[in-house]
Amino acid sequence: DTGVSQNPRHKITKRGQNVTFRCDPISEHNRLYWYRQTLGQGPEFLTYFQNEAQLEKSRLLSDRFSAERPKGSFSTLEIQRTEQGDSAMYLCASRDGGANEQFFGPGTRLTVL
Amino acid sequence: QKEVEQDPGPLSVPEGAIVSLNCTYSNSAFQYFMWYRQYSRKGPELLMYTYSSGNKEDGRFTAQVDKSSKYISLFIRDSQPSDSATYLCAMNTGFQKLVFGTGTRLLVSP
């Protein structure tokens, strides 16, 4: 049994660079969520996919952020022109369509220098 | 004001103590309540999931929901050093994004 996986686990980049993270949900989970967590805070919702359709985006998701789930399986989150304020843990969660419980991956920790 | 309030702690207890963790919320539409455990630099792990008001027990963990007071609790009996982690409450209206508290850091000393 494989849970939610995320890659890379850690990413260090310089301000202004673009970064891309990948999330592989639990197989057959057609709902996928991205959250962002900063130090000392709980995760905050970024965006939500049902299959390949992006159904909801938070106002936290500025135009420098883009997320895709092209075949309804894995998802990518890209941040363009990174800023120091983007430093955070980026978490992916998935759930089955008939259930409410969300299961999280290990996260990708981004550090922007 | 945040939708979900949670004392960040840290909460320090000796091994074997009963731990009480709490959250309050403001949105009366929340129906589903969850507790996640998060170890340092790891993703959140789902511990307890409850719907509406009442109690739910799972081993050493008991979750309570009081919707009339907009107050939820997680009790840990016979706490162990391995329980040392951050505990996050989360909730939603059902099949939607989760709204989290800030998390309470728990330290259980041997």
Side-chain angles (χ1 to χ4, degrees):
Chain A
D1 176 40
T2 56
V4 178
S5 61
Q6 293 187 245
N7 287 288
R9 296 292 309 278
H10 307 276
K11 179 70 177 179
I12 300 174
T13 191
K14 293 182 179 179
R15 186 163 48 99
Q17 298 294 305
N18 299 345
V19 294
T20 300
F21 310 140
R22 175 176 170 133
C23 170
D24 287 89
I26 294 171
S27 57
E28 298 171 1
H29 278 193
N30 58 358
R31 268 69 164 178
L32 186 148
Y33 299 78
W34 285 97
Y35 293 83
R36 181 172 69 186
Q37 184 177 26
T38 53
L39 197 63
Q41 300 297 316
E44 293 179 292
F45 169 75
L46 291 178
T47 190
Y48 160 59
F49 289 86
Q50 178 177 320
N51 297 311
E52 65 276 8
Q54 188 175 19
L55 296 186
E56 187 176 356
K57 291 194 292 186
S58 163
R59 55 186 168 81
L60 291 176
L61 214 66
S62 75
D63 56 5
R64 296 185 298 106
F65 288 70
S66 63
E68 293 182 340
R69 195 182 183 198
K71 297 182 180 179
S73 55
F74 72 91
S75 175
T76 58
L77 178 66
E78 181 184 15
I79 309 174
Q80 296 183 327
R81 305 181 303 280
T82 53
E83 302 173 354
Q84 287 185 325
D86 297 331
S87 295
M89 173 83 94
Y90 290 84
L91 293 161
C92 176
S94 70
R95 69 171 174 90
D96 180 82
N100 192 31
E101 295 97 319
Q102 294 184 24
F103 297 92
F104 282 80
T108 294
R109 180 169 297 277
L110 173 66
T111 301
V112 181
L113 302 175
Chain B
Q1 184 183 2
K2 292 186 175 182
E3 276 190 288
V4 180
E5 298 280 356
Q6 187 175 9
D7 188 328
L11 177 62
S12 296
V13 301
E15 182 176 357
I18 297 174
V19 175
S20 173
L21 304 165
N22 312 293
C23 289
T24 59
Y25 62 95
S26 57
N27 187 347
S28 58
F30 288 143
Q31 296 275 359
Y32 299 86
F33 305 92
M34 287 145 249
W35 286 94
Y36 285 84
R37 177 174 63 194
Q38 187 174 30
Y39 292 110
S40 181
R41 298 180 178 271
K42 304 290 185 185
E45 172 194 8
L46 182 62
L47 274 181
M48 300 289 284
Y49 174 83
T50 55
Y51 167 68
S52 196
S53 287
N55 293 2
K56 182 176 182 179
E57 186 174 325
D58 184 1
R60 295 186 296 113
F61 299 91
T62 299
Q64 280 187 355
V65 175
D66 181 350
K67 289 193 66 184
S68 63
S69 301
K70 298 190 181 68
Y71 188 86
I72 68 170
S73 300
L74 177 70
F75 297 95
I76 307 174
R77 291 183 298 280
D78 188 25
S79 56
Q80 302 295 310
S82 59
D83 294 328
S84 297
T86 296
Y87 289 80
L88 296 156
C89 64
M91 51 200 76
N92 65 9
T93 58
F95 304 93
Q96 303 291 330
K97 64 190 176 192
L98 291 173
V99 180
F100 283 86
T102 56
T104 299
R105 187 176 169 212
L106 173 65
L107 303 172
V108 182
S109 54

